[in-house]
Amino acid sequence: MRPPDLYSIPPHIAFVDALAKGVLARCGGDPLALAQAHILLPNRRAARALTEAFVRLSGTGLLLPRLTPVGDLGDDSFDRFANGDNALPPAVPPLRRRLELARLVRAMPAARELGRSAVEALRLGDALGATRDALLAEEIAPERLKHVVADKELAVHWQQTLAFLDIVITAWPPARDALGSDGGTRVAALIDALLARWQASPPPGLVIAAGVTGSSPPLVRLLAGVLALPQGLVVLPGLDTDVSEAGEARWAAIAVGDPEDETPLRDSEEHPQHALKALLARLRLDRSDVRDWGETTERDGPEARTALVQAAMAPADAADGWHSGSADPAGLAGIRAVEAATPAEEAQVIALALREALEVPGKTAALVTPDRGLARRVAAHCRRWGIDLDDSAGTPLRLTPPGALALALVEAMAQGFAPVPLLAVLKHPLVAAGDGRGDWLAAARRLDRDLRGVRPLPGLEMIGERIEAMADERLR
């Protein structure tokens, strides 16, 4: 039995560049072999980054391999690839599901008695949806929740909780059937259909699953199916392969549970290596089965950085001595720390660093942050210099003109069309846009002056009466 073609790329290596370089080497310079290759990636962002890496390495035009994201449910490329001609019901759109779950929450007798608001119903509906997604990802039937606790001390409390969870157990399935299917079960069905097709007719070219670290049963079956192919490879990102005493202690401190157990694999520490260890456990493999990808690139960091990252991320039970100063200082080469006094100063420093990088031909830079406010401030600074940043997170709906108008309308209705929110609606760029925009704004400014003073009673009728009174006064 041949060893599994399972590889890892260390943290200090530029993952997508090393991956692209290795794929080109394995295709032996044959452009048709490269075009026949198929690479499964975690999301669309990874597919875009790998495309750019191929372009950087080739220097000329080439036929790219097929790049398919398997983690973005909103991307239909995996759907088309895996589903083929089979007819699977589409997944319920996320917004539609969210609103439907909120409606089911408000329909509960307890919710009606408490007068639960729409905002609270949306929050509870989101929590219910996340619970159902987590269960389906592990292929655990939601109905099993009814039998988790029975005839125990917490039975009364559990029955109250179960009544709430019954929304996703009993009430949601009929509503879902009228709209489509659950995203989690649909992805599992797509993966199983793909594996059945591969078993009947293995693909002729190279098939690589790269950067996919999920340990849910469907993804484990997908990666196992890739490893079973004649030309199937799996490439993991940054697996801790250190077999020293400290490395073994770190690996042993990450608990993933028994892969034979039906319960989901979980680690209380949420360690970065947990997903990789859980994945290997469910593949019935060990990290000794993982080989080094063996490629280096010009964009790599110092090799000492991998040891530094591993020491810094050591679990609490294996972190003794990490601050002893024995780490190689070369691991910090190229890393700079800036202490900013204010968020505005922080954004300006980052924007200047991005601008400095872009002034070097061929150099790229990226800002990675969960702070959307910081990202918007940095983008605003760069726009002043004529730099339009590609924000992979997109623009929130509330910051788009239609979204801002919708929020302004809701605010005006909530305040009974008080003068200030009403004028915000009337002066919005999408209201009365066109050739008559100037006359409309002039009339809005006159109304602004007329409504100053004592606040009218709530309602558009009262605003209309105030306008009529002001018009009569002008005519006298």
Side-chain angles (χ1 to χ4, degrees):
M1 183 177 179
R2 68 183 179 93
D5 286 320
L6 185 60
Y7 300 88
S8 176
I9 297 177
H12 71 278
I13 302 291
F15 185 86
V16 292
D17 291 82
L19 177 63
K21 188 176 179 181
V23 171
L24 290 171
R26 282 164 173 77
C27 290
D30 183 356
L32 294 181
L34 180 63
Q36 274 190 324
H38 189 184
I39 304 178
L40 302 173
L41 297 161
N43 48 49
R44 285 171 286 183
R45 185 183 302 179
R48 184 168 63 248
L50 184 57
T51 299
E52 294 171 354
F54 274 115
V55 172
R56 282 194 298 269
L57 291 174
S58 67
T60 59
L62 78 166
L63 292 174
L64 288 175
R66 186 170 189 171
L67 307 179
T68 303
V70 299
D72 284 337
L73 296 182
D75 192 297
D76 60 355
S77 57
F78 182 68
D79 188 330
R80 292 192 303 270
F81 168 71
N83 196 18
D85 297 329
N86 297 326
L88 290 176
V92 179
L95 179 59
R96 185 73 180 271
R97 188 185 79 157
R98 188 183 189 204
L99 296 176
E100 186 64 23
L101 285 173
R103 182 189 67 80
L104 294 174
V105 168
R106 298 197 75 182
M108 291 180 62
R112 290 195 296 268
E113 294 172 5
L114 296 174
R116 186 163 283 151
S117 67
V119 174
E120 180 71 3
L122 281 172
R123 186 186 69 79
L124 293 173
D126 291 343
L128 284 171
T131 300
R132 185 174 178 87
D133 289 342
L135 291 170
L136 294 179
E138 296 292 338
E139 297 187 334
I140 298 175
E143 293 77 12
R144 289 180 56 186
L145 292 173
K146 294 182 178 180
H147 310 291
V148 171
V149 179
D151 300 327
K152 295 184 179 180
E153 294 180 1
L154 299 178
V156 175
H157 173 72
W158 175 247
Q159 292 304 322
Q160 295 174 347
T161 304
L162 188 61
F164 178 63
L165 292 173
D166 194 58
I167 292 176
V168 293
I169 298 174
T170 304
W172 167 247
R176 174 210 60 203
D177 292 341
L179 302 172
S181 64
D182 285 307
T185 54
R186 190 171 192 278
V187 169
L190 289 173
I191 288 175
D192 291 338
L194 172 62
L195 295 177
R197 197 163 76 247
W198 276 353
Q199 190 172 10
S201 177
L206 196 65
V207 178
I208 301 175
V212 180
T213 60
S215 59
S216 64
L219 284 178
V220 171
R221 291 199 298 273
L222 176 63
L223 297 184
V226 170
L227 290 174
L229 293 173
Q231 299 187 66
L233 310 173
V234 172
V235 184
L236 302 176
L239 178 70
D240 186 352
T241 57
D242 182 11
V243 294
S244 65
E245 183 178 351
E248 292 290 354
R250 287 195 303 268
W251 190 253
I254 303 171
V256 297
D258 185 359
E260 300 291 343
D261 192 356
E262 292 184 358
T263 57
L265 299 178
R266 289 290 181 263
D267 177 23
S268 59
E269 297 185 26
E270 295 295 329
H271 190 272
Q273 294 286 322
H274 170 262
L276 296 172
K277 186 171 182 179
L279 175 61
L280 291 175
R282 285 190 161 172
L283 287 172
R284 307 295 192 273
L285 297 172
D286 190 72
R287 62 174 180 164
S288 59
D289 298 313
V290 182
R291 291 174 275 175
D292 184 66
W293 185 243
E295 299 290 350
T296 58
T297 73
E298 296 179 354
R299 297 161 61 89
D300 297 344
E303 187 175 354
R305 185 165 299 166
T306 290
L308 182 66
V309 170
Q310 291 170 347
M313 295 295 178
D317 294 341
D320 292 342
W322 68 270
H323 57 290
S324 62
S326 59
D328 189 344
L332 297 173
I335 296 178
R336 292 182 293 173
V338 177
E339 294 185 8
T342 64
E345 182 179 308
E346 179 186 18
Q348 192 167 22
V349 169
I350 295 172
L352 286 170
L354 293 174
R355 178 179 177 178
E356 181 183 12
L358 294 178
E359 289 178 350
V360 179
K363 192 173 183 179
T364 60
L367 168 62
V368 181
T369 174
D371 187 344
R372 299 304 309 147
L374 174 62
R376 286 193 289 271
R377 286 192 293 269
V378 171
H381 279 298
C382 290
R383 281 195 296 271
R384 292 168 47 208
W385 303 319
I387 301 173
D388 188 12
L389 299 182
D390 178 18
D391 190 347
S392 59
T395 302
L397 179 61
R398 61 186 176 83
L399 297 181
T400 63
L405 177 57
L407 288 177
L409 282 169
V410 171
E411 181 68 17
M413 294 174 63
Q415 296 195 30
F417 293 98
V420 173
L422 174 62
L423 289 166
V425 172
L426 298 178
K427 294 178 182 180
H428 191 277
L430 294 183
V431 176
D435 296 337
R437 176 71 178 167
D439 296 336
W440 176 270
L441 288 177
R445 294 188 187 100
R446 287 197 300 271
L447 179 61
D448 188 355
R449 292 192 297 269
D450 293 343
L451 292 178
R452 294 179 182 181
V454 179
R455 177 172 174 170
L457 293 174
L460 286 175
E461 296 82 2
M462 299 299 103
I463 296 290
E465 290 180 7
R466 174 70 71 88
I467 293 174
E468 291 176 359
M470 293 296 179
D472 293 341
E473 196 172 311
R474 288 194 185 95
L475 292 175
R476 291 195 186 101

